[in-house]
Amino acid sequence: MTLETVSENRSFGGTQGVYRHKSQATGTDMTFGLFMPELIAHERVPVLWYLSGLTCTHENAMTKAAAQQFCAETGIAIIFPDTSPRGDGVADDEAYDLGKGAGFYVDATQDPWKPNYQMWHYIVHELPELVGENFAIDREAMGITGHSMGGHGALTIAMTHPQRYKSVSAFAPIANPTESDWGKKQLAAYLGEDSAAWRAHDSSILMQERGFPREVLIDQGSNDQFIDLLRPETLAQAMMARRQPGQFRMQPGYDHSYFFVQSFMGDHVHWHAERLFG
């Protein structure tokens, strides 16, 4: 696949790039951000995938999450994919939480979403192959994290493919979408009305059924304005019942914004780096 350079900027000794390519998975042009630390000039480096939340593009976390400094310090790359396919012919909805900007990291099986909304395959298979062919990343040392809808994606992808990811964390994930208005609507639209098909995309259910073979790290703000939609208690209970190694941290006073993500991004990057280099 041909990769087009949209922009490249010097950042903390490394390079923050934005790239565009034609996706076979989505049938559209897709854009992603990639921060490459200075170390990448000398050797292949581990990579952290950051999946963004509802309404976001590749740009939101790239400019607001404050990850580049910590990635430069630790010597890992970080990738910011888009959250959905884009384009004039791509199905959409008037609501902000369905359609463009709200792909929910699933492979849609229902029309009108099925032709383009293949975000699971795009994130898990196509984009890693493309990046690995064009940049000196180590695909044997990948971690994954995300915020809100992206936290949901990170957890479900990592628990489904633990052999692909050495580490997983999440910021305020949509933790129980099969029982939340942030999930039931979207999973029904993309996957159909049979809720049995939704279970593979619910991190609380996956935690109960299989967990993750290594530690997980979850941060949740106690003042999150969307906390009832996120249902963090369901995931925390599943972790305790399974005795899943890791940490679930309720951060006092923090909301759902990127100020929350910024505040703990350093913890997450360093936590992933320890496991990826290990």
Side-chain angles (χ1 to χ4, degrees):
M1 290 176 283
T2 302
L3 194 65
E4 173 191 352
T5 300
V6 177
S7 63
E8 290 184 334
N9 298 95
R10 191 75 167 160
S11 177
F12 294 100
T15 301
Q16 176 60 65
V18 176
Y19 307 95
R20 183 182 297 118
H21 70 104
K22 182 71 173 179
S23 167
Q24 295 179 359
T26 68
T28 66
D29 288 341
M30 296 293 289
T31 303
F32 66 94
L34 167 63
F35 174 76
M36 297 169 285
E38 193 170 20
L39 185 62
I40 206 169
H42 307 287
E43 60 186 77
R44 290 192 174 273
V45 300
V47 59
L48 178 61
W49 294 84
Y50 182 99
L51 306 185
S52 292
L54 288 168
T55 75
C56 291
T57 69
H58 71 281
E59 188 173 12
N60 297 73
M62 187 180 77
T63 58
K64 294 181 179 179
Q68 289 85 350
Q69 178 178 358
F70 304 113
C71 289
E73 291 172 356
T74 56
I76 66 175
I78 186 167
I79 298 176
F80 307 99
D82 203 347
T83 56
S84 76
R86 312 271 176 180
D88 293 338
V90 174
D92 198 11
D93 190 90
E94 292 181 357
Y96 74 93
D97 58 356
L98 185 65
K100 294 178 184 178
F104 255 74
Y105 303 103
V106 301
D107 285 345
T109 60
Q110 306 299 303
D111 291 328
W113 315 104
K114 182 179 178 179
N116 304 115
Y117 285 76
Q118 303 295 312
M119 290 301 295
W120 180 282
H121 185 85
Y122 177 70
I123 295 295
V124 175
H125 300 289
E126 184 179 56
L127 190 55
E129 291 176 8
L130 175 68
V131 175
E133 290 170 359
N134 288 275
F135 302 96
I137 65 163
D138 183 357
R139 290 186 59 194
E140 300 301 315
M142 298 199 305
I144 190 166
T145 187
H147 174 227
S148 193
M149 179 183 73
H152 139 81
L155 291 169
T156 56
I157 287 171
M159 282 189 279
T160 304
H161 296 286
Q163 74 284 1
R164 287 179 176 266
Y165 304 95
K166 288 189 173 181
S167 57
V168 60
S169 72
F171 300 85
I174 300 175
N176 188 206
T178 61
E179 298 296 335
S180 169
D181 288 342
W182 268 3
K184 289 189 286 187
K185 169 185 175 181
Q186 295 84 357
L187 295 176
Y190 296 139
L191 302 178
E193 295 292 339
D194 183 0
S195 61
W198 307 354
R199 295 175 61 86
H201 298 284
D202 187 307
S203 60
S204 295
I205 292 174
L206 292 179
M207 183 61 69
Q208 293 169 1
E209 293 181 347
R210 64 181 70 180
F212 189 69
R214 294 168 289 282
E215 292 179 298
V216 301
L217 173 62
I218 313 291
D219 273 315
Q220 171 66 58
S222 67
N223 283 14
D224 193 313
Q225 61 270 44
F226 304 113
I227 198 164
D228 291 338
L229 292 166
L230 303 172
R231 295 176 57 85
E233 67 280 358
T234 311
L235 179 59
Q237 290 163 6
M239 289 177 65
M240 289 297 293
R242 189 175 183 82
R243 299 180 181 175
Q244 168 69 45
Q247 301 178 58
F248 192 110
R249 310 191 303 189
M250 185 64 72
Q251 301 292 359
Y254 284 90
D255 59 18
H256 199 69
S257 70
Y258 270 103
F259 295 109
F260 158 66
V261 175
Q262 289 174 9
S263 299
F264 300 101
M265 179 57 74
D267 287 358
H268 283 244
V269 171
H270 282 90
W271 187 88
H272 282 277
E274 288 176 5
R275 287 149 182 83
L276 295 176
F277 278 107

